[in-house]
Amino acid sequence: MEDRKPNWLLTLFLLIISAPILIMYFWLFIDSISEINTDGLWPEHFTLRNWRFLYEDIDGHGNVWKATLNTAIFATSVVSIVVILSSTAGYALSRLRFPYRSQFLGFVLLLHSFPSVTLIISIFLMLRLIGLYDTLVGVILVKAALELPFGIWIMKGFYDTVPWEIEMAGLQDGASRFQVWYKLVLPQIMPGIAALAIFSFMAGWSEFVLPLILVPGSETKLLSVYLAGLMIDDYLSDFGLFKAVGLFYIMPVMIFYLFTQDKLMNIYGGGTKG
Amino acid sequence: MEIKLEKFSKSFGSVKVIEELDLTVGNGEMIALLGPSGCGKTTTLYAICGIHRVSAGRILFGDRDVTALPPQEKNVGVVFQSFALYPHLSIYENIAFPLRIRKEKNADIERKVREISATLYMEHLLERRPGQLSGGQQQRVALARALVRRPDILLMDEPLANLDASLRLEMRTEIRRIQQESGCTSILVTHDQVEAMSMCDRIALMNNGVIQQIGTPDDMYHQPRNKFIAGFIGNPPISFIDGAVENGQFTSQGMSFGLPDNLKKASLTSGQKVSVGIRPEHLQPGSENPVAGEVTFIESQGREILYDLKLGDGQMLRSIQSGARTCKLGDRVTWSINVNAVLFFDAQDERILPA
Ligand SMILES: Nc1ncnc2c1ncn2[C@@H]1O[C@H](COP(=O)(O)OP(=O)(O)OP(=O)(O)O)[C@@H](O)[C@H]1O
Ligand SMILES: [Mg+2]
């Protein structure tokens, strides 16, 4: 990755094809701090009124900070569960021989291909039954469960790239199976863990359908649901507000992405490099 | 510490890889497990260190039965063919790893790592990562990691296979020196006979999961027990001629010579089918016990020249001669066999020993 010369032609080309997206985001930002006539296109003068939701509750929509906190708890919990379970399950699937291992692998892949919407009614009924409906815990478990097949599969791929001999050498050096996993194998798939963590964080942050149906209450509302609520509110047609909230909602993800995109690429490259 | 395998057998599922193998390696001895690819050398090694479970038989270290012990409970150092260094740790931490697992004191670890890296001339490498070392340097790290906790037994699986020719030569003497200094009982797996002969006290030659013969390199070369051993040991290899014994003579369509005195008394019946092995150095220009043929191949090996000789019936003999080239391709020549050095094998490929 060192001493790569900037390729101006390529940069220009990429800039041109991504221009529509960049311009849209830029426009979104400008719009959110300006006043526009309802039928106009051009921003007229500067205002911070669109951002008022940060310090006052919009009628009937609850507190934005509460929703932000819920979303953060939701996303980080999903990340923890997915990372811990995938990194252990992936190891088992990659290294241990147990009955029906290959069938299990196929089954995991099958689960991954299910769109979560198709399961939503039965999940709803199940959560009602066990009393986790309209609780953060409930929706966290559901989201984590739906993310797991992908996570397990990705982790197994990373474990597969770690040579057997390293583990044998570890055992030979006196380490227990757990020590071998923890001290020798895990550090080598750190890029994979990082990528999976980022990936599932973003998946959690942007999740909409599950929280919409499973945690509709104002105490447990997530940001995505908060934003959607504003937009379908008939008494409110304040586009400036929508834009500001939308911007507020995607900001963490964009900042996060900016700093971690190189790690994220790993998930497609697969395996440890350098 | 003595290593003893008693009727050791190993199968993977229904595939029997090793059957009833017996092997004893004396205290402080270095023995080579030599054999063609796939004959079960690595399998045997992994069984000794405890990575593979033994299917049947016993493994003893000294008087202790270690057959069922897991690798962690045996004090065995292993050098893997691929070195298997830990890529995320520095060289220092790689070597220190076995000691850290034993929870030794930092000061002790430091002292031991410095000591072993001094013996292996690699103190300047300790801060680096395995990815930043050459093959030979990685090889030394692997050796250091195996030796740092003073193992009772050192096992090496083709440790030189990944090195280039000159480095291999250097590491050969180095490994031998360290093995002798540390005095640990060692097994070296290799498929290179020169390596086995030059580094080890004794050689155990394996084929198809069976040990064919155990002995010193000299023994193996001059007194092979069967045709496989005679064919495997020696480079350039021995050539075999099929024929029969008649009236105190060995005869085939392309050649014949009188049996050497010491074999005349051996239990050879007239008309018995035999195969003789003639090493290239035992076919030289001369007139005694002549054999005639056509030179079909000449290869200069620098100091010596290798010739292939095609006999009248199409069978081939090989000759290696020092000095200048005496003939050219296609020449018909008559050379002499050193009959006393010829090896005789019966129809079952077993050696016919002189009486
Ligand atoms: N895990 C395994 N499952 C099934 N068969 C195996 C397994 N490991 C080894 N074998 C078989 O056992 C035989 C001996 O293998 P081994 O690795 O001991 O050979 P080797 O003598 O070390 O050969 P090489 O010189 O190529 O390393 C081979 O035929 C191999 O296919
Ligand atoms: Mg092998």
Side-chain angles (χ1 to χ4, degrees):
Chain A
M1 289 277 172
E2 294 89 34
D3 64 74
R4 191 198 279 164
K5 269 186 253 144
N7 186 337
W8 292 113
L9 218 61
L10 191 65
T11 314
L12 192 70
F13 175 70
L14 289 175
L15 212 65
I16 288 171
I17 60 166
S18 47
I21 302 171
L22 292 178
I23 291 171
M24 256 161 52
Y25 275 122
F26 181 68
W27 211 250
L28 192 63
F29 174 67
I30 295 292
D31 273 4
S32 77
I33 51 168
S34 5
E35 228 161 286
I36 312 171
N37 281 332
T38 7
D39 52 352
L41 182 61
W42 299 102
E44 293 183 352
H45 46 256
F46 176 78
T47 175
L48 283 179
R49 226 187 76 81
N50 290 333
W51 290 87
R52 68 185 182 281
F53 66 93
L54 291 179
Y55 47 85
E56 61 177 52
D57 290 0
I58 308 291
D59 278 344
H61 293 282
N63 184 292
V64 74
W65 294 111
K66 180 82 191 145
T68 310
L69 181 70
N70 283 342
T71 311
I73 293 174
F74 174 71
T76 47
S77 308
V78 168
V79 168
S80 323
I81 296 176
V82 168
V83 164
I84 291 172
L85 291 188
S86 305
S87 60
T88 43
Y91 181 76
L93 283 169
S94 166
R95 289 299 153 87
L96 308 181
R97 301 271 160 266
F98 51 86
Y100 301 111
R101 178 175 159 280
S102 59
Q103 285 86 339
F104 190 85
L105 269 174
F107 189 60
V108 166
L109 203 61
L110 188 74
L111 283 180
H112 177 46
S113 62
F114 261 92
S116 51
V117 196
T118 58
L119 303 170
I120 199 82
I121 294 181
S122 48
I123 290 175
F124 171 77
L125 291 175
M126 261 156 53
L127 286 191
R128 294 288 306 241
L129 199 68
I130 55 178
L132 288 179
Y133 175 69
D134 205 12
T135 63
L136 269 183
V137 175
V139 75
I140 286 169
L141 287 179
V142 171
K143 179 64 181 166
L146 291 171
E147 286 295 309
L148 264 179
F150 172 73
I152 291 174
W153 195 261
I154 288 286
M155 279 299 110
K156 178 196 175 288
F158 274 91
Y159 281 120
D160 284 346
T161 64
V162 179
W164 267 103
E165 273 90 2
I166 294 214
E167 284 186 60
M168 292 186 185
L171 295 181
Q172 208 55 58
D173 284 344
S176 67
R177 191 85 201 227
F178 182 80
Q179 283 174 317
V180 165
W181 173 72
Y182 184 71
K183 294 192 171 180
L184 300 180
V185 180
L186 209 53
Q188 295 190 57
I189 60 154
M190 265 312 164
I193 301 251
L196 181 62
I198 296 162
F199 207 88
S200 36
F201 181 83
M202 303 221 278
W205 191 268
S206 57
E207 181 59 49
F208 170 61
V209 177
L210 291 178
L212 178 72
I213 297 172
L214 302 177
V215 280
S218 60
E219 276 308 295
T220 47
K221 191 177 280 180
L222 299 194
L223 261 184
S224 54
V225 181
Y226 175 88
L227 175 61
L230 287 180
M231 293 192 344
I232 57 173
D233 189 337
D234 288 340
Y235 300 102
L236 208 68
S237 59
D238 188 343
F239 283 95
L241 177 70
F242 300 166
K243 285 168 184 162
V245 175
L247 211 54
F248 176 76
Y249 173 49
I250 58 167
M251 215 131 51
V253 175
M254 290 187 52
I255 293 171
F256 200 60
Y257 192 83
L258 231 52
F259 286 106
T260 54
Q261 53 163 331
D262 54 328
K263 292 208 175 60
L264 204 58
M265 299 307 262
N266 256 318
I267 222 166
Y268 301 109
T272 50
K273 291 190 204 81
Chain B
M1 187 174 284
E2 192 184 70
I3 308 172
K4 199 172 206 168
L5 304 187
E6 287 178 0
K7 298 205 181 311
F8 155 62
S9 303
K10 174 72 194 172
S11 29
F12 294 104
S14 57
V15 188
K16 284 194 172 161
V17 177
I18 311 276
E19 261 182 282
E20 307 223 325
L21 183 143
D22 290 302
L23 176 68
T24 307
V25 187
N27 190 14
E29 189 183 28
M30 177 142 157
I31 203 165
L33 265 188
L34 178 66
S37 194
C39 72
K41 306 177 298 276
T42 302
T43 307
T44 308
L45 206 72
Y46 283 179
I48 295 174
C49 66
I51 290 171
H52 280 342
R53 274 192 209 102
V54 172
S55 304
R58 297 207 304 162
I59 299 175
L60 298 148
F61 290 174
D63 300 325
R64 202 158 71 110
D65 187 336
V66 297
T67 316
L69 284 191
Q72 294 93 335
E73 289 171 40
K74 301 177 183 176
N75 191 12
V76 176
V78 181
V79 177
F80 291 86
Q81 176 167 354
S82 58
F83 306 148
L85 302 180
Y86 310 133
H88 61 295
L89 298 178
S90 68
I91 300 307
Y92 181 95
E93 286 303 326
N94 260 277
I95 301 175
F97 188 78
L99 306 177
R100 292 229 188 274
I101 289 293
R102 288 184 181 182
K103 299 204 164 31
E104 294 199 12
K105 286 202 209 70
N106 262 328
D108 287 345
I109 294 180
E110 166 106 28
R111 182 176 49 76
K112 288 181 185 175
V113 172
R114 300 270 167 216
E115 217 172 82
I116 192 79
S117 36
T119 357
L120 282 159
Y121 314 118
M122 44 174 275
E123 289 154 297
H124 58 293
L125 302 175
L126 291 178
E127 304 311 317
R128 296 201 208 165
R129 293 283 173 102
Q132 300 164 322
L133 299 188
S134 73
Q137 291 168 332
Q138 291 186 25
Q139 211 275 327
R140 267 182 274 184
V141 178
L143 199 59
R145 188 181 63 188
L147 287 169
V148 73
R149 58 187 166 143
R150 306 231 143 259
D152 302 323
I153 284 159
L154 178 64
L155 305 177
M156 292 169 278
D157 192 0
E158 313 222 10
L160 306 180
N162 291 339
L163 307 184
D164 70 43
S166 70
L167 200 56
R168 201 177 302 179
L169 219 62
E170 191 182 315
M171 285 310 293
R172 246 193 238 162
T173 37
E174 193 131 311
I175 290 178
R176 181 58 166 164
R177 170 179 70 88
I178 285 163
Q179 188 266 332
Q180 281 175 332
E181 276 173 18
S182 65
C184 59
T185 310
S186 311
I187 299 183
L188 174 92
V189 164
T190 176
H191 57 249
D192 181 349
Q193 49 173 307
V194 184
E195 211 170 283
M197 291 204 213
S198 61
M199 288 171 72
C200 296
D201 301 305
R202 286 192 303 157
I203 297 175
L205 183 59
M206 283 181 82
N207 193 25
N208 291 329
V210 177
I211 291 190
Q212 305 285 324
Q213 185 169 352
I214 305 176
T216 62
D218 266 6
D219 254 12
M220 291 270 190
Y221 190 78
H222 297 290
Q223 303 297 340
R225 201 182 285 164
N226 60 36
K227 211 169 157 179
F228 170 81
I229 301 162
F232 194 88
I233 304 272
N235 189 25
I238 196 167
S239 18
F240 295 105
I241 301 284
D242 294 326
V245 169
E246 269 159 41
N247 307 326
Q249 287 257 321
F250 169 81
T251 354
S252 76
Q253 279 176 339
M255 63 186 272
S256 71
F257 56 82
L259 292 183
D261 293 339
N262 58 6
L263 261 171
K264 279 188 181 140
K265 299 190 207 77
S267 50
L268 286 167
T269 49
S270 201
Q272 183 181 351
K273 284 212 178 326
V274 295
S275 168
V276 295
I278 301 167
R279 293 208 182 270
E281 63 270 30
H282 298 139
L283 178 65
Q284 298 290 327
S287 52
E288 221 174 311
N289 299 308
V291 50
E294 181 193 340
V295 177
T296 57
F297 175 80
I298 303 180
E299 182 187 283
S300 176
Q301 299 196 331
R303 199 155 19 92
E304 286 149 334
I305 300 167
L306 185 66
Y307 302 93
D308 277 5
L309 193 65
K310 191 172 171 187
L311 306 186
D313 60 350
Q315 300 198 75
M316 306 285 278
L317 281 179
R318 230 172 257 120
S319 168
I320 193 158
Q321 300 173 14
S322 47
R325 213 174 272 211
T326 53
C327 56
K328 58 184 197 304
L329 218 58
D331 278 1
R332 294 202 62 82
V333 294
T334 304
W335 283 337
S336 152
I337 295 173
N338 176 1
V339 171
N340 288 317
V342 171
L343 304 167
F344 285 73
F345 301 95
D346 65 17
Q348 283 75 47
D349 291 344
E350 291 300 315
R351 171 97 185 277
I352 302 168
L353 288 166

